[in-house]
Amino acid sequence: MNHKFRGRQPTGTPSLAWSSVVVVASLLAGASVVHNIFKPDLTLPPVDSVDGVKQEQPKKE
């Protein structure tokens, strides 16, 4: 039986690139939903010192 596929081939597993796009999109969508529900405070606290020694800020004139 010499039967060749014409047109589209039968569906199988998607390509690695398409799978990667789907994974990244689903992660971003999940993060968006979680951040819309919980609304976390993502502000960073001010840095007061480096190496435990308080440094003076330069004075603006």
Side-chain angles (χ1 to χ4, degrees):
M1 211 172 158
N2 287 336
H3 185 281
K4 292 184 179 180
F5 288 109
R6 297 188 187 245
R8 293 184 74 179
Q9 292 186 353
T11 58
T13 43
S15 67
L16 181 62
W18 183 246
S19 297
S20 300
V21 168
V22 170
V23 166
V24 169
S26 64
L27 287 174
L28 290 174
S32 176
V33 168
V34 168
H35 281 254
N36 283 331
I37 292 172
F38 292 111
K39 296 187 188 322
D41 181 18
L42 297 177
T43 58
L44 296 174
V47 178
D48 290 335
S49 63
V50 177
D51 297 332
V53 177
K54 190 160 187 146
Q55 296 184 357
E56 295 182 19
Q57 294 290 330
K59 295 180 182 180
K60 293 183 180 178
E61 295 181 19

